[in-house]
Amino acid sequence: MALSASDLPAMYSLLTNSLSADESVRKPAEAALSQSESRPGFCSCLMEVITAKDLAAQVDVRLMASVYFKNGVNRYWRNRRDSSGISNEEKIHLRQKLLLHLREENYQIALMLAVLISKIARIDYPKEWPELFSVLAQQLQSADILTSHRIFMILFRTLKELSTKRLTSDQRNFAEISSHFFDYSWRLWQSDVQTILCDFSALAQCISSDASEQHRDDLYLICERWLLCLKIIRQLIISGFPSDAKCVQEVRPVKEVSPVLLNAIQSFLTYYSSFQTQHPKFWDFIKRACTKLLKVLVAFQTRHPYSFGDECVLPPVMDFCLNKISDPEHDILSFEQFLIQCMVMVKSILECKEYKPSLTGRVIDENRVTIEQMKKNISSIVGGVLTSLLPNERIVLLCNILIRRYFVLSASDLEEWYQNPESFHHEQDMVQWTEKLRPCAEALYIVLFENHSQLLGPVVVSILQEAMRGCPTSVTEITPGLLLKDAAYSAAAHVYYELSNYLSFKDWFNGALSLELSNDHPNMRIIHRKVALILGQWVSEIKDDTKRSVYCALIRLLQEKDLSVRLAACRSLCFHIEDANFSEQGFTDLLPICWGLCFKLIEEVQEFDSKVQVLNLISILIGRGNEVITFADKLVQFFQKVWEESSGESLLQIQLLIALRSFVTALGYQTPICYNLILPILQKGIDINSPDELNLLEDSLQLWEAILSNAPSMVPQLLAYFPCLVEVIERSFDHLQVAVHITEGYIILGGTEFLSMHASSVAKLLDLIVGNVNDRGLLSTLPVIDILIQCFPMEVPPLISSALQVSGDFFPLFCIDLL
């Protein structure tokens, strides 16, 4: 039965009760609302609650109504077989009502309505809702500041949603929207930026210190609208035009917009220092605006590199970013997100393949200018521009600044390290490089070095030697010299593949590095951690006569007190053991102490990433070690303890299952000594009713396969698990290949005992697979049938006759051969 206006009081009451802290009130209300979702008129009732003027103050109820409205659209807006959904008449009413309620004062509700409109537009535009953009554009003409802000919020969300549609017709529609909306959006953006800068100037001069609070609120709303408009312009240019890297067609807006965005950044930065104390609200806006403007420029360069390479765009942007990195104002040094984006821009330009010389030739006597030739011409021009922007002196200067300024640990870094070494390790070495300044500087340095290795190789070696002379191995105080040496070691570690031409690792290790490792002063953890990094990165350059000493050094670092040093050593040891030239002979006697240190380390670390890192080392050690059986008892105890402690942490248990698989493979036919450990773990992992089934099933099945492959004989507990495989296949064919291997293992290992106990399960399994999978899946299953018939020629054919018949329809020759 449809809901109508008479149901509004009841709907309001249910929404109110759904917010109650009293569970006896809230639960029935939520159940009633859930039951009403599919009824005609439900969304219309919610819309009336959201837009009712007398309920404007009831923000929580209206927000809850908007949440249910969004869920209703997600579930019932499209026609569904199992539900009548929302009727066309109600859809028309809702679309009209949404466009009449644009001036929503509450930001959260306005945002929810914008998301709602974007979700509907994805389905209905342009066929069912062709007037959407024309109505919004018309409303903008006479809108006040708040209404225009809300309209731009809707436009941004809708354009973002539509830009993700990949069909050619959808992309054509988006290009048409871009052609209609770009000019208006761009004019409004330029008008707003002038208004903002004018008012900022007045604020900076204290002219409007007596300005009303309302004026400041209006200005802030204009700032937010301007940011939304910037996001819309980005969306229109990025998604409204095909990438010029493919079609080599100039994207005019890139050349028009980019210089203006750069000017806006420069204008905003003039107020950065003064607004920090006087106008913190607008200072925060300036930070967001400058960061976003640079991100938009990076997006333009990535999507449309040839248009961005124009002489009016790339040179000023590149020069600006290089200057800010090399010589920032004192206040800008603390503006890390801005400096990160400057580095991202320079890195993106330096590694852009469209700006590098093409190695392809040209057909002789070919008069027509091909696309490839056009690309080569543009690349040649941009390459010349970059050469003029980056002469050798500037490249060397940039390299020096990156190492001497941005690689050096700050006082706050050292304090963070002191407070939580484990967290510091992961933040420095495992964080996304665009999120932190030092990793970003390191990423830029690596690209710069790759492009100019012959020029920068001697420079980096010179900085390294200078740092080592300025801070001898005996120095233990945290001085600028020690921190510079740490930075220089970082630089040397990251570019080992080229630096080995200028630096002998053997001499460096036997000299300075070994002496530094022998210094146990607590402050030396700074250098020890970097030595651990170097030993891991330079693995390919370490010769046989030095390997043993390096292994001993890493084992020593694993015994340090500082967790950050030990985790760095753990990772580097992984690199060495995985190396194709790993010397097992030189490491064999170190295994006992290495196992012990791993067991101790995993007990001391707290973070998930740390535990995974140590488990990874243990898995690699098991895979490489020829004497695992010697340490089997300790490993069993270790795995038992860690598994019990990892209850509820499915991601960690996945890593444990991987390590256990390596353990089983390494034990081979001696695997039964660990059955008391692995069989209960396996039973939990293959139980499809287990809460962790979704996370653990795949790795548990692979462990199951490994156990059967290495079992010397079948045991009753393992034999009893086979019906679980049928349950897995009943649910999904995602794991068909490993299920086939497991079945083969049971047939060969279990023999007659297996068939007599699980004949019906085998028949059911084959019936499930044969006839319900594609040809490739069926082909992978036929060897099971082959093995069954060869092992049990009398018992099996009658048992699996239906499977044989279906298989014979698809692969008659194969099945005839079987029979």
Side-chain angles (χ1 to χ4, degrees), residues 96-115:
Q96 291 174 345
K97 192 81 175 177
L98 282 166
L99 292 181
L100 289 173
H101 188 71
L102 297 175
R103 200 182 190 282
E104 171 56 57
E105 294 193 2
N106 181 271
Y107 176 80
Q108 285 183 301
I109 296 174
L111 179 60
M112 192 65 72
L113 291 175
V115 172

Side-chain angles (χ1 to χ4, degrees), residues 692-707:
D692 296 323
E693 175 269 333
L694 186 65
N695 297 316
L696 302 183
L697 182 60
E698 181 177 355
D699 292 289
S700 296
L701 288 171
Q702 291 177 357
L703 174 61
W704 195 358
E705 180 189 0
I707 292 170

Side-chain angles (χ1 to χ4, degrees), residues 126-345:
K127 290 184 178 179
E128 305 297 330
W129 207 0
E131 73 278 11
L132 170 62
F133 289 103
S134 60
V135 170
L136 291 174
Q138 187 178 359
Q139 293 282 342
L140 273 174
Q141 305 301 322
S142 57
D144 59 14
I145 295 173
L146 178 63
T147 307
S148 63
H149 177 271
R150 300 312 192 226
I151 292 173
F152 270 95
M153 189 186 290
I154 292 167
L155 282 170
F156 168 63
R157 292 283 168 181
T158 304
L159 290 170
K160 186 177 181 180
E161 190 72 40
L162 294 177
S163 69
T164 61
K165 300 180 76 173
R166 300 266 60 94
L167 291 178
T168 304
S169 58
D170 294 322
Q171 292 183 341
R172 198 180 305 118
N173 288 331
F174 196 91
E176 188 177 341
I177 295 169
S178 297
S179 65
H180 290 149
F181 253 89
F182 174 76
D183 288 336
Y184 177 81
S185 301
W186 181 229
R187 284 196 303 272
L188 180 65
W189 186 92
Q190 289 176 295
S191 172
D192 275 354
V193 80
Q194 292 304 319
T195 301
I196 294 167
L197 289 171
C198 183
D199 280 7
F200 278 9
S201 177
L203 285 171
Q205 296 170 26
C206 299
I207 295 173
S208 56
S209 58
D210 298 327
S212 66
E213 192 67 30
Q214 182 62 46
H215 176 75
R216 290 174 184 251
D217 288 345
D218 287 346
L219 175 58
Y220 191 74
L221 206 55
I222 291 172
C223 290
E224 292 297 319
R225 181 180 70 185
W226 174 87
L227 267 177
L228 282 169
C229 197
L230 174 64
K231 293 177 182 178
I232 288 170
I233 289 165
R234 175 197 178 281
Q235 205 70 56
L236 294 173
I237 294 176
I238 295 296
S239 303
F241 299 87
S243 172
D244 66 6
K246 297 178 181 177
C247 62
V248 202
Q249 290 183 354
E250 179 183 279
V251 181
R252 179 188 58 81
V254 172
K255 297 169 65 174
E256 180 183 351
V257 169
S258 297
V260 184
L261 299 190
L262 181 61
N263 288 335
I265 295 171
Q266 294 169 320
S267 300
F268 281 133
L269 284 177
T270 59
Y271 301 104
Y272 182 81
S273 57
S274 61
F275 277 26
Q276 184 169 2
T277 53
Q278 297 176 13
H279 309 287
K281 188 176 181 180
F282 291 109
W283 179 67
D284 179 69
F285 163 76
I286 287 172
K287 290 199 297 180
R288 288 190 292 130
C290 291
T291 304
K292 187 63 183 177
L293 285 163
L294 266 176
K295 284 184 176 180
V296 171
L297 288 171
V298 171
F300 288 170
Q301 191 280 325
T302 305
R303 174 71 173 171
H304 304 299
Y306 291 131
S307 300
F308 194 89
D310 187 83
E311 61 181 0
C312 69
V313 180
L314 188 144
V317 171
M318 183 73 162
D319 194 55
F320 171 81
C321 291
L322 286 170
N323 286 336
K324 289 302 176 188
I325 295 168
S326 302
D327 190 23
E329 296 81 356
H330 179 72
D331 295 319
I332 300 300
L333 274 172
S334 62
F335 190 0
E336 287 199 1
Q337 285 303 313
F338 178 74
L339 290 172
I340 285 172
Q341 292 309 314
C342 288
M343 291 180 184
V344 171
M345 172 60 81

Side-chain angles (χ1 to χ4, degrees), residues 522-542:
N523 287 340
M524 288 302 290
R525 72 188 194 279
I526 297 172
I527 299 301
H528 288 182
R529 177 175 172 274
K530 210 49 62 76
V531 172
L533 173 67
I534 290 167
L535 297 183
Q537 296 285 37
W538 281 68
V539 60
S540 60
E541 306 302 322
I542 299 173

